[in-house]
C-alpha cells in the first residue's frame, strides 16, 4: 500500500469516526445545532462507509459512485446550513448551493454514463464548488470566532481550520491538473491536508474530554489569575468577586450581558450586572416558570435557547436583551444556593454545552471565592467593629489618662509613688516643688534621703507596715534641697496586685510646715503661759503664805487685846464695883459683850479662810447621821427648845467630813436660831429628788426671808435680821457656800418672811486629785 | 510650894492670867518669863537665872506660842530634848486655834493645848480647871 493509499484510509477512518461521534451526540442530546453537525459529517462519512461496504461486496462501480458522489456533493450545502448558526446565510445562497448540488450530481452522473469526456470538466466544477463553499464557511467560522470567546472560540477556530484545510486540499488537488509533473507530490500533500482537515473538525466539533478539560483549565486559570492579581482587600470582597464573575462569564463564553442575582432571605436582587439596564431583570427574578426561579429551585446549571420551545417569561427575558440564548448557573455555598449567575448570548453558538459547563465551573469557583469573601466581609465587619471599639476604648483611656494626668499635675498635694522595693517610680511636680528639687532628682534618689536626720528611725517601721499591707497617716520632717524644712502630713497606702502582693505604695503629701510652725509658736506661747502661770502660782503661794501668817497673827494678836478689854472690864466690875453705879456697870458689860462679839467675828473669819485653805479629804458621809449628831449638840447647848426634827434616813454623799459638818452645822444652827419665835417649830433635812438626784435641803418654818434679798444671803457679813432679833456675824452662810463650792456643788435658798426658809445644796462627785492650790484663787477674791 | 512657869510676853495676858490664878486660889509661886530665851534661861539656869539649880524644876509650864526671840515651839523642843527637864508638864496656852499649831505642839510633846478664851470668866474657869488638874489631880513624875 502506497503512502497515498494509507493517508486515504486514515482520512476515511477519521471522517467515519466523526460521523459516528456526531450522530451519537445528536441522538443523545438532540438540538438543532447537533443535528446539523451530525448531518454535515454524515455527508462526508456516509460515502466513505458506503463505498467501503459496497467495494467489499463487489458492487458495480457506478452504484458506488452514484451514492457516494451525491452524499459528498451535499456536504458543502450542509456545511453552509451549519454555519447559519453562527451567522445568517442568505436564503439565495443556500438555495443556489442546493441547486448546484443536484445539478452537479446529475451532470456527473450523465458524464459518467454518457459522456465520459465531460467527466473531468464536471469533476473540476465540483472541486471548485467545494473550494468556494468551504472558503465561504471558513470565513463565517472566522467571523463567528471573533465574536465568541473561551472554549467556543477554540472550537470554532478548529472548525474554520477544518473548512480551510478541506478547501486547501481541493485547491492542491486541482493544481495536479495544471502541473501533472508534480501530481504525485501534490496529491501527497493534498492527502496530508485532507487528513488534517477531519482532525481539525474532530477536535472542533467533538473535542475529546481531555481537550475540553484543558481548555476549561486554561479559562479557569486565566480567571483565577485575574482574581489573584487583584490586591487582597479587593479580591476578598463579595462585591469584587461578583463583578469579576460577571466579567469572566462574558469573556469566557462570549456573552453579551451577564448578571449575578443574589437571594437574601425572601428578597432577590441583582447584585452585579454587565450589559444590562437597571431594572431590566427585575420582572424575571421571581417568574415561577422562569429560568432564574428554576435554577434556584434545582440548583443545577440551565440553558435556554430562543429556538427551543421555551416559557413566555424566558422568551421575554431573551428578547429584552436581544439574546438568542441564556445560561444560568447556581452559586452554591455550604448553606445552599447563594445566588445565580446568568449569561446572555448572541445568536450563533455552536457549542452551548461547553459554555454552560465553563460557566458552571467559573461560577462554582467563584462560589468558593465568594464564600471566602463572605467570611472575610463578615470578619471585616467584625474587625471594623472591633477596631472602632478599640479606637473608642483607646480614646476613652487616653482621655481618662489625660484627666488623671491633669488631676495629678494640678494637685495641691504631693503625690509620690514607690515600687515594692521602695524606690521612687513617680512624683508629681508639686511634690518636687515642695522639696525644692526636680522630678528627675527625686526619681534617682532613695526617698529616705529626703527625711530629716532625726526621723530616719521611722523608715524601717514604715516599710514593715507597708509590707504588712497597712496604710497610715503620719507627720514627718523632710529636708528641702535648699536646706529648708518641709513638715509633711503623709498618707501612705500600700498598692497591691490582684494576688494581694505588694507592688508599691502611694503616698500623698500635704505641706503642713506653716501649720507646724504655728503649732510650734503655739507650744512656745503655751510654755510661756505656763511659765507665767507658774510664776503667778508662786506669787499666789507667797501671797497665801502671807495670808496664813496674817491669819495667824490675827488669831493671836487681835484676840489678845480683846481678852484684855474683856478681862480688865471684868476686873473693874469685880474690884471696883462700889465705885460704879448701875449705869457704869451696864456700860462695862456692853464693853465686854462688844469684845466677845469681836472675838467671835475673828473666829468666824479665821474659819472662813481656813475652809478655803485646808486640804480636802474625800470620804463617804451619811448626811443623816451627821445631822443627828449636830442636832444632838444643839439640843444639849439649848435644852429648853422643843423642836420637831425630821431627818430622812441615809443620805450618803462624798466629801470632806469636817467641812460638810461645818456647813451642815451652820445651816442647822441657823434653822435652830430662826425658829426661836415660831410656834411648833420644825426642821427637816431631806433629799430633794424633784430637783435632781444629788440635791439636799435643810428646811425650817422659822422667820424666813424676803426673796428680794436672796442674793445677799451668802455674802460675808451680810445679815437680813437685826442683831437684837437674831444674833450672828453674817459669816455662816458665806462659809457654807464656800464649803459647797469647794465640793463642786451649788447652794441656793428659797423662803418668805415668817414662812420659813429652805436651803438647797448639791455636792459633786469627788475629784481625788483636787489640791488646795486651785482654791486659793477664792482666797484673793 | 509648887512653881509654875508662865511664859507670856503680853503684860495684859500676864496680868489676867495672874488674876485668874488668884481667883482660882492657886496660890503657887508663879515665875513669869517674857520670851522664849528667858523661859529657857530659867529652866536651864542660864542667863539671868545663872546659877539656879535646875533640879528645882517648875511643876508646870504654861507656854504661849507666839513669843519674841524664841517662840513657844522652840522652847518646847528644847525642853523635850533635854532629859534633865523633859518630863516637866508643858501646857500650851495660846490665842491660836490653828489646827497646825495644835498638832505640832502635841507632836513636840505638849501635855495639853488650851486656847485662851476672850471671855474672862471662861478664862478663869479654864485656868481653874488647868490648875486643878495639873497641880492637884495629876501625879507629878518628880
Amino acid at each position: 500500500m502506497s503512502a497515498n493509499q494509507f493517508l486515504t484510509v486514515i482520512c476515511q477512518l477519521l471522517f467515519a469516526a466523526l460521523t459516528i461521534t456526531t450522530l451519537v451526540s445528536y441522538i443523545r442530546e438532540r438540538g438543532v445545532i447537533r443535528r446539523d453537525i451530525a448531518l454535515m459529517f454524515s455527508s462526508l462519512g456516509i460515502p466513505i462507509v458506503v463505498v467501503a461496504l459496497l467495494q467489499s461486496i463487489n458492487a458495480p462501480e457506478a452504484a458506488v459512485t452514484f451514492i457516494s458522489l451525491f452524499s459528498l456533493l451535499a456536504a458543502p450545502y450542509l456545511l453552509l446550513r451549519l454555519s447559519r448558526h453562527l451567522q445568517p446565510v442568505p436564503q439565495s445562497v443556500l438555495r443556489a448551493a442546493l441547486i448546484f448540488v443536484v445539478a452537479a450530481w446529475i451532470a456527473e452522473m450523465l458524464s459518467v454514463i454518457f459522456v465520459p469526456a465531460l467527466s473531468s470538466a464536471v469533476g473540476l466544477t465540483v472541486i471548485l464548488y467545494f473550494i468556494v463553499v468551504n472558503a465561504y464557511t471558513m470565513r463565517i467560522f472566522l467571523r463567528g470566532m471573533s465574536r465568541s470567546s473561551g472554549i467556543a472560540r477554540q472550537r470554532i477556530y478548529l472548525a474554520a481550520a477544518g473548512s480551510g484545510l478541506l478547501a486547501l486540499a481541493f485547491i492542491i488537488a486541482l493544481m495536479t491538473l495544471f502541473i501533472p509533473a508534480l501530481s504525485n507530490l501534490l496529491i501527497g500533500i493534498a492527502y496530508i491536508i485532507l487528513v488534517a482537515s477531519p482532525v481539525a473538525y474532530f477536535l472542533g466539533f467533538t473535542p475529546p474530554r481531555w481537550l475540553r478539560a484543558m481548555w476549561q483549565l486554561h479559562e479557569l486559570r486565566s480567571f483565577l489569575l485575574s482574581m489573584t492579581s487583584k490586591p487582597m482587600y479587593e479580591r476578598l470582597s463579595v462585591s469584587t468577586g461578583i463583578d469579576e464573575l460577571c466579567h469572566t462569564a462574558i469573556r469566557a463564553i462570549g456573552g453579551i450581558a451577564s448578571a449575578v442575582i443574589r437571594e437574601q432571605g425572601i428578597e432577590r436582587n441583582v447584585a452585579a450586572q454587565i450589559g444590562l439596564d437597571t431594572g431590566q431583570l427585575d420582572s424575571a427574578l421571581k417568574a415561577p416558570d422562569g429560568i432564574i426561579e428554576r435554577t434556584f429551585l434545582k440548583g443545577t446549571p440551565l440553558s435556554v435557547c430562543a429556538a427551543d420551545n421555551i416559557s413566555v417569561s424566558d422568551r421575554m427575558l431573551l428578547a429584552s436583551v436581544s439574546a438568542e440564548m441564556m445560561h444560568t448557573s447556581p452559586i452554591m455555598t455550604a448553606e445552599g444556593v447563594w445566588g445565580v449567575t446568568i449569561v446572555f448570548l448572541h445568536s450563533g453558538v455552536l457549542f452551548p454545552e461547553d459554555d454552560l459547563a465553563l460557566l458552571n465551573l467559573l461560577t462554582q469557583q467563584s462560589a468558593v471565592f465568594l464564600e471566602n469573601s463572605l467570611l472575610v466581609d463578615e470578619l471585616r465587619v467584625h474587625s471594623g467593629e472591633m477596631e472602632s471599639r478599640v479606637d473608642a476604648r483607646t480614646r476613652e483611656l487616653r482621655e481618662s489618662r489625660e484627666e488623671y494626668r491633669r488631676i495629678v499635675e494640678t494637685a495641691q498635694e504631693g503625690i509620690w509613688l514607690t515600687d515594692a522595693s521602695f524606690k521612687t517610680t513617680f512624683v508629681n511636680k508639686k511634690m518636687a516643688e515642695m522639696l525644692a528639687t526636680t522630678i528627675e532628682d527625686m526619681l534617682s534618689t532613695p526617698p529616705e534621703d529626703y527625711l530629716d536626720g532625726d526621723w530616719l528611725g521611722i523608715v524601717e517601721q514604715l516599710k514593715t507596715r507597708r509590707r504588712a499591707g497597712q496604710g497610715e497617716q503620719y507627720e514627718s520632717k523632710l529636708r528641702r534641697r535648699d536646706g529648708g524644712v518641709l513638715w509633711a502630713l503623709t498618707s501612705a497606702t500600700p498598692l497591691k496586685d490582684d494576688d494581694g502582693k505588694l507592688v508599691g505604695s502611694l503616698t500623698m503629701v500635704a505641706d503642713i510646715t506653716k501649720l507646724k510652725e504655728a503649732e510650734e509658736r503655739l507650744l512656745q506661747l503655751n510654755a510661756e503661759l505656763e511659765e507665767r502661770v507658774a510664776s503667778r502660782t508662786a506669787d499666789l503661794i507667797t501671797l497665801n503664805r502671807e495670808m496664813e501668817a496674817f491669819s495667824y497673827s490675827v488669831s493671836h494678836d487681835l484676840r489678845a487685846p480683846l481678852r484684855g478689854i474683856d478681862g480688865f472690864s471684868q476686873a473693874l466690875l469685880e474690884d471696883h464695883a462700889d465705885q460704879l453705879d448701875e449705869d457704869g456697870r451696864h456700860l462695862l458689860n456692853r464693853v465686854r459683850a462688844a469684845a466677845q462679839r469681836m472675838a467671835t467675828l475673828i473666829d468666824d473669819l479665821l474659819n472662813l479662810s481656813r475652809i478655803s485653805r485646808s486640804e480636802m479629804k474625800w470620804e463617804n458621809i451619811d448626811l443623816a447621821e451627821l445631822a443627828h449628831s449636830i442636832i444632838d449638840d444643839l439640843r444639849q447647848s439649848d435644852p429648853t427648845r422643843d423642836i420637831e426634827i425630821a431627818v430622812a434616813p441615809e443620805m450618803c454623799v462624798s466629801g470632806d467630813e469636817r467641812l460638810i459638818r461645818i456647813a451642815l452645822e451652820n445651816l442647822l444652827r441657823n434653822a435652830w436660831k430662826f425658829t426661836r419665835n415660831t410656834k411648833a417649830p420644825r426642821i427637816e433635812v431631806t433629799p430633794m429628788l424633784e430637783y435632781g438626784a444629788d440635791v439636799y435641803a435643810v428646811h425650817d418654818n422659822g422667820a424666813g426671808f424676803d426673796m428680794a434679798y436672796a442674793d445677799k444671803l451668802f455674802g460675808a457679813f451680810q445679815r437680813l435680821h437685826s442683831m437684837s432679833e437674831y444674833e450672828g456675824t453674817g459669816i455662816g452662810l458665806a462659809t457654807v457656800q464656800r464649803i459647797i463650792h469647794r465640793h463642786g456643788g451649788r447652794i441656793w435658798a428659797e423662803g418668805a418672811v415668817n414662812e420659813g426658809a429652805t436651803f438647797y445644796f448639791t455636792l459633786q462627785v469627788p475629784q481625788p486629785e483636787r489640791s488646795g492650790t486651785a482654791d486659793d484663787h477664792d482666797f484673793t477674791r | 510650894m509648887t512653881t509654875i512657869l508662865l511664859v507670856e510676853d503680853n503684860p495684859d495676858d500676864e496680868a489676867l492670867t495672874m488674876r485668874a490664878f488668884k481667883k482660882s486660889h492657886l496660890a503657887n509661886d508663879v515665875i513669869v518669863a517674857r520670851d522664849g530665851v528667858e523661859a529657857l534661861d530659867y529652866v536651864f539656869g542660864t542667863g539671868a537665872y545663872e546659877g539656879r539649880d535646875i533640879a528645882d524644876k517648875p511643876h508646870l509650864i504654861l507656854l504661849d506660842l507666839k513669843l519674841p526671840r524664841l517662840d513657844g515651839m522652840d522652847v518646847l523642843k528644847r525642853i523635850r530634848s533635854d532629859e534633865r527637864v523633859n518630863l516637866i508638864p508643858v501646857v500650851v496656852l495660846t490665842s491660836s486655834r490653828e489646827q497646825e499649831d495644835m498638832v505640832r505642839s502635841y507632836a513636840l510633846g505638849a501635855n495639853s493645848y488650851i486656847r485662851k478664851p476672850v471671855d474672862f470668866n471662861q478664862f478663869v474657869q479654864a485656868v481653874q480647871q488647868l490648875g486643878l488638874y495639873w497641880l492637884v489631880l495629876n501625879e507629878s513624875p518628880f
Side-chain angles (χ1 to χ4, degrees):
Chain A
M1 195 162 65
S2 72
N4 286 355
Q5 280 175 318
F6 175 72
L7 286 171
T8 310
V9 171
I10 294 286
C11 189
Q12 284 172 344
L13 281 175
L14 277 170
F15 275 107
L18 269 174
T19 308
I20 293 162
T21 316
T22 50
L23 275 172
V24 168
S25 167
Y26 169 65
I27 291 162
R28 261 192 185 164
E29 300 179 45
R30 303 278 158 178
V32 184
I33 296 165
R34 282 195 183 83
R35 184 197 65 198
D36 286 350
I37 291 170
L39 275 175
M40 201 278 281
F41 282 107
S42 299
S43 70
L44 291 172
I46 285 168
I48 296 162
V49 175
V50 169
V51 168
L53 279 171
L54 290 177
Q55 277 177 347
S56 67
I57 58 166
N58 290 322
E61 179 118 355
V64 173
T65 310
F66 179 79
I67 294 168
S68 62
L69 196 63
F70 181 77
S71 179
L72 204 60
L73 284 171
Y77 169 72
L78 290 171
L79 193 59
L80 270 179
R81 277 182 65 100
L82 180 60
S83 64
R84 259 192 334 180
H85 292 294
L86 285 175
Q87 189 188 329
V89 176
Q91 204 61 38
S92 53
V93 175
L94 281 173
R95 210 170 291 137
L98 191 60
I99 290 165
F100 186 84
V101 169
V102 176
W105 179 62
I106 293 166
E108 182 68 19
M109 291 318 295
L110 289 173
S111 71
V112 168
I113 301 162
F114 307 107
V115 200
L118 275 176
S119 174
S120 59
V122 172
L124 192 67
T125 315
V126 168
I127 287 170
L128 281 173
Y129 165 65
F130 258 89
I131 292 169
V132 168
V133 171
N134 271 313
Y136 182 74
T137 51
M138 187 185 78
R139 186 173 149 271
I140 291 174
F141 280 142
L142 287 173
R143 276 188 162 184
M145 194 181 84
S146 71
R147 281 203 308 274
S148 54
S149 60
I151 301 170
R153 186 188 167 95
Q154 308 287 341
R155 291 177 68 180
I156 293 168
Y157 173 73
L158 286 168
S163 296
L165 287 169
L166 207 54
L168 190 64
F170 281 114
I171 289 168
I172 291 167
L174 198 60
M175 281 167 74
T176 54
L177 296 177
F178 303 102
I179 315 162
L182 292 171
S183 73
N184 268 350
L185 177 68
L186 288 172
I187 285 181
I189 294 169
Y191 265 116
I192 289 170
I193 294 171
L194 201 61
V195 171
S197 165
V199 169
Y201 273 131
F202 177 75
L203 292 178
F205 284 98
T206 58
R209 199 176 295 267
W210 60 267
L211 186 61
R212 282 188 193 220
M214 204 178 75
W215 285 331
Q216 284 180 350
L217 274 176
H218 174 77
E219 285 302 319
L220 195 61
R221 188 169 156 267
S222 65
F223 168 67
L224 292 176
L225 276 175
S226 81
M227 283 300 285
T228 49
S229 67
K230 290 185 193 310
M232 177 67 96
Y233 64 86
E234 204 179 300
R235 189 195 326 160
L236 288 176
S237 102
V238 174
S239 61
T240 314
I242 293 171
D243 281 345
E244 189 57 35
L245 178 57
C246 283
H247 279 289
T248 312
I250 287 179
R251 201 171 56 244
I253 64 174
I256 52 171
S258 67
V260 171
I261 292 119
R262 190 173 171 184
E263 193 167 51
Q264 283 173 303
I266 54 159
E267 289 286 309
R268 253 176 226 168
N269 51 47
V270 180
Q273 58 187 34
I274 291 171
L276 291 167
D277 289 334
T278 317
Q280 223 167 359
L281 276 174
D282 288 356
S283 59
L285 289 180
K286 286 200 159 181
D289 52 352
I291 188 167
I292 295 169
E293 176 69 20
R294 280 184 286 137
T295 312
F296 269 111
L297 282 177
K298 288 188 181 171
T300 55
L302 291 174
S303 185
V304 161
C305 180
D308 295 335
N309 185 20
I310 55 172
S311 72
V312 180
S313 66
D314 284 351
R315 193 167 294 284
M316 280 171 65
L317 186 56
L318 281 171
S320 73
V321 255
S322 315
E324 287 290 311
M325 186 174 264
M326 53 189 175
H327 297 310
T328 58
S329 174
I331 304 171
M332 303 295 290
T333 62
E335 280 107 44
V337 184
W338 183 84
V340 164
T341 314
I342 184 163
V343 183
F344 298 92
L345 295 131
H346 209 270
S347 58
V349 175
L350 283 179
F351 314 107
E353 73 281 357
D354 278 334
D355 293 340
L356 196 57
L358 184 57
L359 176 66
N360 199 35
L361 190 65
L362 292 174
T363 305
Q364 293 333 310
Q365 193 55 48
S366 291
V368 175
F369 264 108
L370 285 174
E371 203 158 26
N372 285 342
S373 304
L374 281 171
L375 287 174
V376 169
D377 269 10
E378 219 167 286
L379 260 174
R380 200 169 286 163
V381 168
H382 279 304
S383 73
E385 242 170 63
M386 283 300 284
E387 235 165 72
S388 66
R389 271 161 67 184
V390 166
D391 277 354
R393 191 86 188 94
T394 310
R395 198 164 48 246
E396 268 171 40
L397 276 174
R398 197 183 305 125
E399 278 166 13
S400 118
R401 264 187 83 95
E402 182 63 19
E403 204 172 340
Y404 276 119
R405 195 185 62 80
R406 263 202 305 277
I407 291 171
V408 165
E409 288 199 349
T410 56
Q412 284 308 297
E413 285 198 324
I415 297 171
W416 195 334
L417 282 171
T418 51
D419 62 13
S421 58
F422 301 100
K423 187 176 168 298
T424 304
T425 52
F426 173 86
V427 287
N428 67 347
K429 221 163 94 192
K430 181 74 184 177
M431 189 66 245
E433 279 169 12
M434 280 185 191
L435 288 168
T437 182
T438 59
I439 291 173
E440 291 71 33
D441 173 50
M442 292 198 66
L443 288 175
S444 60
T445 311
E448 50 262 42
D449 277 18
Y450 293 97
L451 207 58
D452 185 82
D454 298 344
W455 289 70
L456 282 171
I458 66 168
V459 172
E460 279 312 312
Q461 298 169 28
L462 293 177
K463 286 183 177 177
T464 307
R465 277 199 286 273
R466 221 60 73 242
R467 283 194 199 101
Q470 290 173 10
E472 65 190 314
Q473 196 173 57
Y474 59 92
E475 284 181 9
S476 58
K477 191 179 179 183
L478 301 175
R479 277 281 159 208
R480 285 162 59 94
R481 282 299 198 211
D482 61 8
V485 168
L486 171 71
W487 276 101
L489 178 64
T490 308
S491 293
T493 315
L495 301 174
K496 295 172 191 170
D497 62 12
D498 293 341
D499 302 330
K501 209 175 126 252
L502 184 79
V503 293
S505 308
L506 166 66
T507 309
M508 306 281 290
V509 181
D511 185 350
I512 53 161
T513 308
K514 286 204 174 102
L515 211 68
K516 210 66 192 173
E517 281 169 2
E519 195 182 297
E520 271 175 5
R521 272 200 299 280
L522 204 67
L523 281 174
Q524 207 178 323
L525 278 176
N526 268 348
E528 278 170 26
L529 205 64
E530 254 168 47
E531 214 169 283
R532 278 163 64 188
V533 166
S535 101
R536 279 292 293 279
T537 308
D539 288 352
L540 281 172
I541 288 168
T542 311
L543 204 67
N544 207 17
R545 278 208 197 98
E546 281 167 14
M547 198 66 194
E548 269 172 38
F550 170 75
S551 301
Y552 193 75
S553 165
V554 164
S555 142
H556 273 87
D557 302 342
L558 284 187
R559 285 166 61 89
L562 289 175
R563 263 199 313 279
I565 293 166
D566 186 80
F568 294 122
S569 300
Q570 180 63 22
L572 204 58
L573 282 170
E574 284 171 7
D575 297 354
H576 306 283
D578 52 328
Q579 289 170 354
L580 290 167
D581 57 6
E582 188 60 29
D583 194 37
R585 282 194 296 276
H586 174 70
L587 287 175
L588 272 175
N589 278 327
R590 290 283 292 271
V591 170
R592 283 194 63 207
Q596 280 164 27
R597 189 171 143 65
M598 175 86 180
T600 314
L601 263 173
I602 289 166
D603 282 352
D604 285 355
L605 267 177
L606 285 173
N607 274 339
L608 185 60
S609 79
R610 195 176 298 130
I611 282 158
S612 299
R613 285 181 288 124
S614 70
E615 198 86 19
M616 294 277 287
K617 211 171 102 196
W618 291 85
E619 53 202 322
N620 291 323
I621 310 153
D622 180 5
L623 286 181
E625 199 186 308
L626 211 55
H628 282 303
S629 139
I630 293 162
I631 288 161
D632 285 350
D633 285 353
L634 288 169
R635 276 194 205 283
Q636 241 169 6
S637 66
D638 193 2
T640 56
R641 296 286 304 278
D642 181 21
I643 301 174
E644 188 190 345
I645 303 288
V647 177
E650 276 208 34
M651 290 174 280
C652 288
V653 297
S654 190
D656 184 304
E657 188 175 357
R658 193 177 60 82
L659 292 179
I660 297 290
R661 175 180 275 275
I662 292 168
L664 199 57
E665 191 179 336
N666 269 291
L667 290 173
L668 287 170
R669 197 177 287 279
N670 276 351
W672 194 271
K673 181 166 71 185
F674 290 108
T675 49
R676 188 186 297 151
N677 302 322
T678 309
K679 281 183 197 165
R682 182 184 161 82
I683 296 171
E684 286 173 53
V685 181
T686 170
M688 298 299 289
L689 292 172
E690 59 266 44
Y691 284 87
D694 292 318
V695 180
Y696 300 92
V698 175
H699 171 76
D700 68 70
N701 58 350
F705 61 92
D706 186 344
M707 279 299 276
Y709 307 112
D711 59 327
K712 295 194 169 176
L713 279 174
F714 301 101
F717 306 111
Q718 289 284 351
R719 289 176 48 81
L720 298 182
H721 302 274
S722 68
M723 281 298 281
S724 58
E725 270 183 297
Y726 300 100
E727 75 290 340
T729 56
I731 293 178
L733 283 177
T735 306
V736 172
Q737 189 186 43
R738 189 157 290 182
I739 289 170
I740 298 296
H741 283 176
R742 280 211 68 181
H743 283 81
R746 237 162 28 90
I747 182 163
W748 68 102
E750 280 173 7
V753 176
N754 294 326
E755 284 177 25
T758 310
F759 288 84
Y760 303 93
F761 63 91
T762 65
L763 295 169
Q764 221 181 24
V765 279
Q767 290 169 1
E769 292 307 314
R770 228 180 153 90
S771 72
T773 326
D775 289 286
D776 290 330
H777 299 292
D778 277 355
F779 203 76
T780 59
R781 277 208 288 265
Chain B
M1 191 75 166
T2 52
T3 314
I4 296 171
L5 174 61
L6 175 66
V7 189
E8 176 64 72
D9 68 319
N10 187 332
D12 287 352
D13 273 355
E14 184 196 328
L16 289 170
T17 309
M18 295 303 281
R19 186 177 170 88
F21 279 148
K22 207 184 286 173
K23 282 180 77 93
S24 308
H25 308 293
L26 291 168
N28 295 328
D29 182 12
V30 178
I31 290 116
V32 178
R34 306 251 189 273
D35 59 48
V37 176
E38 203 179 324
L40 288 177
D41 280 347
Y42 177 80
V43 172
F44 292 106
T46 52
Y49 294 97
E50 185 76 58
R52 197 188 76 84
D53 178 13
I54 64 163
D56 181 17
K57 289 173 277 218
H59 287 84
L60 179 68
I61 300 174
L62 293 175
L63 181 65
D64 194 2
L65 290 179
K66 205 161 176 285
L67 295 167
R69 298 211 273 176
L70 204 62
D71 75 11
M73 295 288 182
D74 293 326
V75 173
L76 181 58
K77 218 185 289 175
R78 289 281 296 277
I79 291 170
R80 286 293 181 250
S81 60
D82 192 318
E83 58 184 19
R84 293 172 295 173
V85 294
N86 65 350
L87 295 177
I88 303 171
V90 177
V91 172
V92 175
L93 191 65
T94 177
S95 299
S96 170
R97 239 178 75 186
E98 293 293 320
Q99 190 87 5
E100 206 183 325
D101 283 348
M102 202 189 298
V103 172
R104 259 189 88 199
S105 300
Y106 279 120
L108 288 174
N111 297 80
S112 273
Y113 187 100
I114 292 165
R115 192 178 179 240
K116 295 182 226 171
V118 170
D119 186 330
F120 182 69
N121 291 336
Q122 283 178 22
F123 184 58
V124 171
Q125 219 171 0
V127 169
Q128 239 169 11
Q129 283 174 9
L130 183 85
L132 181 69
Y133 179 78
W134 286 108
L135 301 175
V136 181
L137 296 175
N138 188 45
E139 288 293 335
S140 174
F142 45 82

